[in-house]
Amino acid sequence: MCGYEKEFLDALRRRSLEAVCLGGGYYLRLGGGLLAKAAFICKGGYAGGLRLTVINRDTGPVDSVEIHFWELPKNTGKRDHACEEDISLCVHRPMPDMNALAGRALKYLELFRDTNGSKIIIRKG
């Protein structure tokens, strides 16, 4: 796992009862036969955001949204890649705040609560 994936999974696990990483995607149970899939969007060799897709187990995809990293606050103290031995070759690319990313993702997923009043299996962090 790269730094993004590990930090995002940690942020999800702090907020979610069920966050599973399988094959580069993250899956969350939403209740009522709905699942959510989260996957990083890669452009130009770097992750540029997160795509969230809500999936109905019977009928397939329900809705999808992309959260771009430029919409999030930056963690200026962290870098998004491992630096080479020669520090002059490193390009500083601030890592997005994975807690903010997880918070926005869960805020979107809250829209898909069961209408019969049952709880979504996500707790706020």
Side-chain angles (χ1 to χ4, degrees):
M1 272 190 216
C2 70
Y4 286 139
E5 294 169 338
K6 182 174 177 358
E7 286 214 18
F8 183 67
L9 188 57
D10 290 345
L12 279 180
R13 286 184 175 156
R14 284 192 294 270
R15 291 176 167 81
S16 172
L17 297 175
E18 293 186 37
V20 179
C21 179
L22 296 170
Y26 305 90
Y27 296 89
L28 300 133
R29 293 179 199 264
L30 301 180
L34 294 178
L35 295 172
K37 177 184 178 185
F40 283 104
I41 305 164
C42 293
K43 295 179 182 176
Y46 292 99
L50 185 75
R51 177 178 292 122
L52 290 161
T53 304
V54 175
I55 303 166
N56 182 309
R57 292 181 191 193
D58 298 326
T59 60
V62 175
D63 191 44
S64 184
V65 70
E66 292 182 0
I67 302 169
H68 299 279
F69 286 168
W70 53 265
E71 300 173 25
L72 302 171
K74 304 288 184 224
N75 282 336
T76 56
K78 295 184 179 181
R79 296 180 182 209
D80 67 351
H81 59 83
C83 283
E84 310 236 351
E85 289 179 9
D86 185 1
I87 194 74
S88 65
L89 297 176
C90 288
V91 176
H92 180 67
R93 292 179 54 94
M95 180 179 268
D97 185 351
M98 289 297 139
N99 287 319
L101 180 62
R104 286 198 185 183
L106 296 179
K107 189 175 184 179
Y108 165 73
L109 296 176
E110 283 283 327
L111 297 172
F112 296 93
R113 238 185 238 272
D114 283 348
T115 56
N116 63 5
S118 65
K119 285 186 172 183
I120 194 169
I121 308 177
I122 294 176
R123 60 183 155 91
K124 295 186 179 187

